Amino acid sequence: MAEIIRKILFKFLIKKSNRRRDKFVEEWIQSLKSGSSLLDAGAGFQRYKKYADHLNYVSQDFGMYEGGEISAGVKVSEWNSKQCDIICDITNIPRDDSSFDYIMCNEVFEHIPNPQLALKELARLLKTGGKILITAPFRCHSHQEPYFFYTGFSEQWYRYFAKENNLEIMKICQSGNYFMELAEELIYFFSSSNFFHQIFFTFLLLPFILFLFIFSRIYSITKNPFLKKSSDGFFVVLKKNKIN
């Protein structure tokens, strides 16, 4: 019973977080001008390619991660990134300057030893006036090991390195909030316990986790600034400016 509850809660949190990101990315891609070029950097198995039929879609990945790990109690399926158009390091992509109208890089920066160099490379490849969409966690647990280097990136990180690379932040959206993060931490704590402890914690923690979900909704409606203390991550759209 305790194991069933744990899996249900994990699936609820993960699917809810993924739905927010997928909806944002899908709407952004579909808003792009037909015939434009789009680089999907760190594309993995190219989950968003299906939304880019109206674009000149090009995928890139380093091609080393293959899946198979256990993440959040679930085995990650095969990760076939070797089918991408370009297989290379994201900090050294073999394309000319200003090659793409648009670039997106989704849930990749935490898996790069030098994400600031990756952003610099993406800015190099982007045409003046073009836009980059980046999604990455603010806080997260280790995953896709051994290719995991950072738990997340703050709003200030994007603002600092955007300025460094002649990029302007057009939009920055927070995904999730403090109460959802706290609920997720309790579920991780619940899942790390043995079977007998899980039975005990079912009665102790489950009501509190449900209470956090309710508080998350209430505080979202009131737009309380306390919710910004933590989040799943950020969705960031940046524009490349002309060099003065």
Side-chain angles (χ1 to χ4, degrees), residues 37 96-103 121-132 167 238-241:
S37 55
D96 294 335
D97 294 356
S98 304
S99 289
F100 298 95
D101 297 302
Y102 301 99
I103 297 174
E121 178 70 350
L122 298 183
R124 178 188 72 83
L125 294 169
L126 188 65
K127 295 179 181 179
T128 299
K131 294 178 181 178
I132 302 176
L167 298 170
L238 309 104
K239 180 181 178 181
K240 185 175 181 179
N241 293 320

Side-chain angles (χ1 to χ4, degrees), residues 2-239:
E3 179 66 13
I4 293 173
I5 292 173
R6 181 189 71 81
K7 288 183 177 180
I8 290 173
L9 289 172
F10 256 126
K11 285 184 178 180
F12 173 79
L13 280 174
I14 292 171
K15 286 185 177 180
K16 188 175 181 64
S17 176
N18 288 347
R19 279 198 301 268
R20 286 194 298 266
R21 181 182 67 243
D22 291 347
K23 182 180 179 182
F24 189 95
V25 175
E26 177 186 352
E27 290 178 351
W28 184 79
I29 293 174
Q30 293 182 343
S31 73
L32 304 182
K33 184 178 179 180
S34 181
S36 300
S37 55
L38 171 65
L39 172 65
D40 188 354
F45 59 87
Q46 305 174 64
R47 74 174 75 199
Y48 298 116
K49 182 178 181 179
K50 59 186 176 183
Y51 304 123
D53 289 341
H54 63 300
L55 303 171
N56 178 14
Y57 174 90
V58 179
S59 58
Q60 176 277 335
D61 201 275
F62 79 135
M64 298 291 288
Y65 178 69
E66 297 180 346
E69 67 170 314
I70 302 297
S71 179
V74 178
K75 185 176 181 180
V76 177
S77 58
E78 182 181 355
W79 196 275
N80 192 1
S81 59
K82 291 184 174 64
Q83 299 300 315
C84 288
D85 301 306
I86 307 171
I87 302 297
C88 68
D89 191 303
I90 195 172
T91 64
N92 186 22
I93 299 175
R95 290 293 187 273
D96 294 335
D97 294 356
S98 304
S99 289
F100 298 95
D101 297 302
Y102 301 99
I103 297 174
M104 65 179 180
C105 189
N106 299 305
E107 308 304 301
V108 174
F109 275 20
E110 71 269 30
H111 303 293
I112 306 171
N114 297 294
Q116 67 274 19
L117 296 183
L119 182 59
K120 181 179 180 180
E121 178 70 350
L122 298 183
R124 178 188 72 83
L125 294 169
L126 188 65
K127 295 179 181 179
T128 299
K131 294 178 181 178
I132 302 176
L133 167 62
I134 298 172
T135 70
F138 174 70
R139 282 182 53 198
C140 68
H141 290 268
S142 180
H143 59 285
Q144 295 187 5
E145 295 178 347
Y147 309 108
F148 181 82
F149 303 98
Y150 300 93
T151 57
F153 303 86
S154 69
E155 181 177 345
Q156 289 70 34
W157 188 93
Y158 293 106
R159 295 194 182 282
Y160 180 88
F161 286 105
K163 188 175 181 180
E164 286 271 303
N165 292 284
N166 196 40
L167 298 170
E168 176 185 357
I169 293 180
M170 305 301 293
K171 181 183 295 185
I172 183 163
C173 300
Q174 178 179 325
S175 174
N177 57 52
Y178 174 77
F179 291 116
M180 293 298 291
E181 281 294 300
L182 183 54
E184 184 175 338
E185 289 301 318
L186 288 175
I187 293 172
Y188 271 107
F189 173 70
F190 179 84
S191 66
S192 66
S193 305
N194 62 42
F195 175 75
F196 296 103
H197 287 167
Q198 284 186 357
I199 294 176
F200 174 74
F201 290 140
T202 296
F203 299 99
L204 180 65
L205 293 182
L206 185 58
F208 186 51
I209 291 171
L210 294 176
F211 173 78
L212 289 171
F213 288 153
I214 294 171
F215 251 56
S216 172
R217 298 291 295 179
I218 294 173
Y219 272 63
S220 294
I221 294 171
T222 60
K223 300 185 184 301
N224 192 303
F226 182 73
L227 291 180
K228 292 188 176 182
K229 293 293 183 181
S230 188
S231 67
D232 293 335
F234 291 100
F235 310 150
V236 187
V237 178
L238 309 104
K239 180 181 178 181

